[in-house]
Amino acid sequence: MAGEHYFSADPAVAHERHEVAFEAFDQEFRLTSASGVFSWSRLDPGTAVLLSQAPPPDPGTEGALLDLGCGYGPIAAALAAAAPRAAVYAIDVNQRALDLVRENAAALGAAGRIVAALPDEVPETVRFAQIWSNPPIRIGKPELHALLLRWLPRLVPGGTAWLVVAKNLGGDSLQRWLGEQGFAADRYASHKGFRVLRVEKSLP
């Protein structure tokens, strides 16, 4: 993948498929992944930390949840299983990833509730009870900040975002930056070199 990244819109790398098995929220999942998407051969360690350390959404949660930078959809799958009344938006710029999310959602019986979409395909009126993300740190700080400032304000009042960032990739500085942008951001957990941040809108 010389010169190409998992956040390419249309990966040119060969389409090699792989099954990823993992446990989240006391359930077991087997999802189809493929080359050209983020952490395609295994559950990413940061995603594993996020799903093990952050509390799952309440089963009665309604409205919309967001998996921001979804890859092949492990977070979206876990959210859909934990909150069967909610719609789960799975957002990515990688078309191969979105195709895999749709395939995995159908296999899980959640095709009607997991919405795989490009960022611009999400209606502006949609607001989220929760946002979950293992954000693409390697796109660079300006792009990362722009991404978060686009989506975090779309939390409903009282909504929460759960982010996981490696400490050595700027987890603590991101927490400070979020505070400077007017969000209430605290370190909810620290595990295996990762920070799990809980982010909420600050009250006026």
Side-chain angles (χ1 to χ4, degrees):
M1 286 184 66
E4 184 173 50
H5 302 277
Y6 60 84
F7 42 83
S8 297
D10 188 15
V13 67
H15 197 289
E16 181 181 348
R17 292 166 67 86
H18 183 75
E19 183 181 82
V20 178
F22 64 96
E23 183 175 313
F25 305 153
D26 297 323
Q27 298 193 51
E28 294 184 355
F29 298 87
R30 290 185 177 274
L31 303 184
T32 298
S33 182
S35 50
V37 304
F38 175 64
S39 192
W40 73 280
S41 63
R42 61 172 182 163
L43 184 67
D44 176 74
T47 299
V49 167
L50 179 63
L51 291 173
S52 69
Q53 299 298 308
D58 186 274
T61 299
E62 298 181 350
L65 307 174
L66 174 62
D67 175 3
L68 179 59
C70 61
Y72 60 91
I75 294 175
L79 294 178
R85 297 182 181 179
V88 180
Y89 283 80
I91 305 303
D92 210 296
V93 298
N94 185 318
Q95 289 284 4
R96 185 175 295 178
L98 296 178
D99 288 343
L100 289 164
V101 170
R102 296 182 186 105
E103 180 180 339
N104 287 320
L108 293 169
R113 294 193 299 111
I114 296 179
V115 182
L118 296 168
D120 289 343
E121 294 175 339
V122 181
E124 289 293 333
T125 54
V126 176
R127 295 294 181 265
F128 301 101
Q130 293 188 4
I131 295 173
W132 288 64
S133 187
N134 181 355
I137 298 296
R138 297 185 188 280
I139 61 176
K141 190 173 292 186
E143 291 83 0
L144 174 66
H145 289 175
L147 178 74
L148 294 175
L149 288 176
R150 176 177 183 177
W151 295 100
L152 291 178
R154 294 178 68 167
L155 286 167
V156 301
T160 302
W162 298 99
L163 310 178
V164 63
V165 183
K167 178 184 177 182
N168 66 355
L169 292 179
D172 294 339
S173 62
L174 181 63
Q175 180 184 349
R176 289 192 297 271
W177 176 82
L178 287 165
E180 293 167 358
Q181 307 310 305
F183 296 98
D186 67 88
R187 186 192 307 169
Y188 182 83
S190 185
H191 188 62
K192 295 185 177 179
F194 290 92
R195 306 301 200 205
V196 174
L197 305 181
R198 176 173 53 192
V199 185
E200 299 174 340
K201 286 183 180 180
S202 295
L203 296 175

